Amino acid sequence: MSEKELQQLLRELLPLACGTPDAIKPGTDLLKTGILDSLGLIILLDELADRGIEIQPTQVELSRFSSLEGIAALCREALEQQGPAGQ
Amino acid sequence: MTLLKQIARQAALQGEKCAYRSRGGALTYTQLWEKAAALAGFLAGQDSPVLVCGGKEPLMPVCFLACLLAGRPFVPCEADAPPERLAYIREASAAGTILAAAPAPPALAGPCLAEAPEIERLCAQTPPIRELPANPGRDAYILFTSGSTGRPKGVRIPVSALEHFTRWFSGLPGCRDCVEDTTINQARFSFDLSVADLWPAWAAGGTVFALDSTQQADLALLYAALGESGGARLTATPSFLRLCLCDAAFCQELLPRLRCVFLCGETLPARTARQFRERFPGARLLNAYGPTEATCAVCTAEITGEMEPLPVGEVATAASELLILGPEGEPLPEGEPGEIAIAGPSVGRGYIGAAGGGFGCWRGRALYRTGDRGKIAAGRLWYLGRIDRQIKYKGYRIEPGEVEGVLSTWPEVHAAAVLPLRRRGEVLGLAAVVEWAAGPLPPEECARRMRASLPSYMCPRVWQSVSPMPLTSNGKQDLKKLEELLQHE
C-alpha cells in the first residue's frame, strides 16, 4: 500500500468510524476532542483489520491515535511487521 | 425460598468467602451480611425510596442489600451524573434517605444524606434488623431511564420480579454451571444489566468482581484486572465485549476459567460473536433481550454456529411470555413482524408518578409493550429495530425527545431535532440539528451546557445549523430530510 493510498484510506475510514467529517479537519486532536471515542476506535481497528492492517492497541501509545498522521504511522509499522503477506 | 433467605443462608455457609471485590476493596459474605443488616436497622421504619449514589465501591452493594432488608426501594445513581439530572431523580423519586458511597455531589446535599464515613459508622454501630420483610409486591428498586417527554422516568421493579429474574437466570444453561463461581461485572449499578451480576451470584454463594470506569477506559488496566479476576462468567454489553476483543491479549489464556458470557442491552454484531468464539472456544455465548421495564432480561439464545442475523432469545425458555402484537394490540401469527410485548412475572409496576406508558394487562397478567419491533420464528425471537425514535447507543437507551427537551430550554434555540449518527446502521452517537434564534452558539458552549444536564452518552457529538428547520406537510420536523442532511455533510 503506497503512502498516498494509506492517507486516502484513513481519510475515508476516520469520518466513518467517528461519525463526523470533523475527524479529518487539519490540526484536530481526535482524542482530546472526544471525536475518536472507544466505539470509534473499535470500528477503526475492525475496518483496518479487514484490510489486512492489524494494530494491537495495548502494544502502542494511545496518544498516537490522536491524529491522522499518527494513525498512518501505526498502520505503516503494522504492515512492516506483518511483512509482505499482510499487504 | 425468598431471595433474602437465600442470601442469608449463603452468608452463613460461605462466611469468609469473598462476596464482592472491586478496586475499592473486598467484602466477605459475613461482612456483606452484617453490614447490610445493621444499615437496614437504620433504614427500617420508613418506606420511602433510598437514593444510593456511587460507583463500584464495596459500600454500594452493602447499601442495595440493606435497602432490600429494610423493605425500601433503592434508586441507584452515579456520583458523576450531571447535577441537574441528580436533582431531578432525587425529587421525582421522593427519596427519604440518600446514601453516598462516593463523595456526594452538591445536588445531593441535605439533612437526609449519609456519606461513606457515616454509613460505615451506622454499619458498625446500629443493631441489626431482626425480621426479613414480607410483601414481595413491594418495590425492590427504581431505575431511571431516558424519557421521551424530556425527563428521565423511574421504572418500578418489585421484589417478586427480581426474585423471578434471579431464579430464571440461575437456571439458564451456561449460567447454571458458574453462578457459584466468580462473575465479572461491567455494567454501572445505574444500568439494570448489573442486576444479572449481584443477585444471582449472592443467591448461589458466588463472588462478584466489579470493573470500575477507570479500568474500563484503559485497555492495559482492563486486561490486567480481567487477568486477576479468576472470572468464570462475564455479563456485559456487546459494545464492551467488542472493546475487549480489539486486542489479541483478550483470549482464553487471559481468562482460563471463563465459561459463559451473557450479553444484553443492544444488538450483538455477528463479527463480535465470531471473534469471541474463535478466541474462547471453551466458553458459551448467550445473547439476551429485555427492557428495564421487564427486569433486565427475559430471554436468551445461545450463539453457536454461523447464524445471521443473530436471534435474541428462545421462546420456550423465556422468563415471561413473549408476544408479537399488531398495531391494534392483537397477537400476530408466527413469522410476522410486529411490536415485541412481554407478559408475566418479569414485568415491573410502571413508572413513578407517570401515566402507563407501555404497561398494561394481558389475560390477567402484567403486560409491557416494548416499542421494539421483532418477530418470532422457529421458536426464536429476532429484534428488528424500534417502532418509535428511541436510540440504542453503547447499550444505553436514549429518547431523542429528552435531549430535545433540554435544548428547548435554551433561549438561543428556535427549534432543535436530535438524530443518531449512523454507520451501516450502527449508532455512533448523536447529532443536534438546530435552528438558532440568532447566530449559533460555539460548540464548546453547547457541550458545556449539555454536560450540566445530561450524561455524556446523551450529549450530541455533532452540531449542525439549519435555517429554517425543514417541516413535513403536516408541520412536524422532517426527520427523514434531516437524516439525509447529516449523511451528506
Side-chain angles (χ1 to χ4, degrees):
Chain A
M1 189 178 285
S2 73
E3 186 58 34
K4 200 176 161 195
E5 284 169 333
L6 184 57
Q7 291 277 338
Q8 182 56 37
L9 176 65
L10 290 176
R11 296 185 75 80
E12 278 170 32
L13 289 186
L14 274 170
L16 191 81
C18 301
T20 164
D22 291 352
I24 50 171
K25 263 195 198 159
T28 302
D29 186 315
L30 295 171
L31 300 176
K32 274 195 190 140
T33 52
I35 289 177
L36 183 65
D37 65 355
S38 61
L39 181 59
L41 181 66
I42 298 166
I43 293 169
L44 178 69
L45 293 173
D46 279 355
E47 293 285 346
L48 289 171
D50 285 346
R51 290 162 177 81
I53 305 170
E54 303 223 5
I55 301 172
Q56 303 298 334
T58 55
Q59 305 300 312
V60 298
E61 280 287 327
L62 187 65
S63 61
R64 299 186 66 189
F65 286 96
S66 60
S67 68
L68 188 145
E69 295 71 29
I71 300 169
L74 286 171
C75 292
R76 274 195 300 278
E77 287 166 26
L79 285 168
E80 277 162 24
Q81 274 178 16
Q82 285 159 231
Q87 301 181 30
Chain B
M1 192 188 294
T2 66
L3 177 61
L4 286 174
K5 278 190 182 155
Q6 277 177 298
I7 300 174
R9 192 177 67 167
Q10 294 301 344
L13 284 173
Q14 308 295 345
E16 294 310 297
K17 183 177 172 181
C18 180
Y20 180 89
R21 188 152 69 100
S22 70
R23 275 207 305 181
L27 286 169
T28 65
Y29 267 88
T30 304
Q31 288 168 329
L32 171 68
W33 186 263
E34 287 182 352
K35 283 184 171 200
L39 187 56
F42 163 75
L43 294 172
Q46 280 189 59
D47 55 9
S48 63
V50 179
L51 204 145
V52 181
C53 178
K56 297 288 173 80
E57 299 81 5
L59 264 187
M60 290 293 280
V62 169
C63 293
F64 298 148
L65 181 58
C67 291
L68 268 194
L69 283 166
R72 293 176 65 180
F74 56 89
V75 186
C77 57
E78 308 296 325
D80 61 359
E84 287 173 21
R85 198 176 174 87
L86 277 178
Y88 176 78
I89 290 174
R90 173 189 190 162
E91 190 192 317
S93 64
T97 307
I98 299 172
L99 301 174
L108 299 182
C112 55
L113 168 69
E115 292 191 87
E118 173 67 2
I119 303 172
E120 290 286 8
R121 191 190 64 76
L122 291 166
C123 290
Q125 295 177 2
T126 319
I129 196 157
R130 300 225 172 270
E131 269 180 55
L132 298 183
N135 181 18
R138 71 185 191 275
D139 288 344
Y141 62 85
I142 298 167
L143 224 136
F144 278 80
T145 180
S146 185
S148 56
T149 52
R151 289 291 197 179
K153 51 191 182 180
V155 181
R156 299 169 61 193
I157 298 296
V159 172
S160 59
L162 175 62
E163 291 184 328
H164 181 74
F165 170 80
T166 303
R167 271 193 302 275
W168 171 76
F169 182 92
S170 308
L172 286 173
C175 296
R176 195 168 43 211
D177 330 321
C178 49
V179 275
E180 297 164 29
D181 222 314
T182 296
T183 181
I184 303 169
N185 152 269
Q186 171 230 335
R188 289 169 163 237
F189 293 131
S190 58
F191 180 11
D192 73 334
L193 185 54
S194 61
V195 167
D197 292 313
L198 299 182
W199 309 104
W202 292 340
T207 301
V208 177
F209 181 94
L211 297 167
D212 61 33
S213 51
T214 308
Q215 289 168 312
Q216 293 184 39
D218 181 323
L219 281 176
L221 283 180
L222 176 63
Y223 293 142
L226 290 172
E228 62 156 312
S229 70
R233 170 165 74 88
L234 166 68
T235 307
T237 56
S239 291
F240 179 75
L241 182 63
R242 222 167 133 190
L243 174 72
C244 291
L245 284 164
C246 81
D247 195 290
F250 184 72
C251 60
Q252 194 89 61
E253 285 81 62
L254 183 72
L255 283 160
R257 294 168 59 86
L258 189 73
R259 299 200 293 283
C260 178
V261 173
F262 182 88
L263 299 175
C264 197
E266 64 188 330
T267 304
L268 168 64
R271 179 196 185 106
T272 305
R274 198 165 50 238
Q275 275 187 332
F276 174 78
R277 291 177 54 241
E278 282 164 11
R279 303 250 194 108
F280 292 85
R284 301 171 89 157
L285 184 62
L286 303 180
N287 192 25
Y289 168 83
T292 301
E293 286 83 346
T295 322
C296 183
V298 291
C299 58
T300 176
E302 184 167 358
I303 305 303
T304 49
E306 292 297 319
M307 32 169 138
E308 278 185 49
L310 301 176
V312 295
E314 304 273 353
V315 176
T317 56
S320 283
E321 188 179 352
L322 300 175
L323 300 158
I324 302 293
L325 302 180
E328 307 300 321
E330 75 283 9
L332 296 176
E334 173 152 335
E336 239 178 82
E339 182 177 7
I340 305 174
I342 297 156
S346 309
V347 176
R349 298 177 66 194
Y351 303 110
I352 42 169
F359 287 97
C361 192
W362 171 263
R363 294 181 183 162
R365 285 175 302 160
L367 174 82
Y368 178 67
R369 296 182 65 145
T370 62
D372 290 332
R373 283 187 80 239
K375 68 169 184 182
I376 290 172
R380 290 197 175 121
L381 176 70
W382 273 271
Y383 170 78
L384 304 171
R386 284 292 296 178
I387 284 170
D388 55 18
R389 295 177 60 206
Q390 192 187 92
I391 297 165
K392 269 291 173 97
Y393 173 51
K394 293 183 177 175
Y396 294 104
R397 214 163 101 167
I398 303 170
E399 295 286 358
E402 188 175 346
V403 188
E404 288 161 2
V406 171
L407 283 168
S408 70
T409 63
W410 298 5
E412 298 87 351
V413 170
H414 189 257
V418 170
L419 296 120
L421 291 166
R422 289 185 200 274
R423 164 228 179 229
R424 293 182 203 149
E426 180 175 30
V427 178
L428 302 177
L430 301 184
V433 185
V434 182
E435 182 186 343
W436 298 98
L441 285 175
E444 304 78 44
E445 173 62 11
C446 296
R448 190 191 63 76
R449 289 195 197 176
M450 274 287 152
R451 280 195 302 269
S453 307
L454 296 171
S456 59
Y457 62 87
M458 288 178 84
C459 297
R461 299 176 58 200
V462 170
W463 293 83
Q464 173 77 43
S465 304
V466 283
S467 185
M469 179 67 72
L471 300 176
T472 61
S473 54
N474 51 17
K476 288 187 173 174
Q477 291 176 346
D478 192 337
L479 297 172
K480 214 171 150 210
K481 201 169 261 179
L482 290 172
E483 283 227 28
E484 282 168 15
L485 176 85
L486 284 170
Q487 267 167 13
H488 291 113
E489 263 308 302

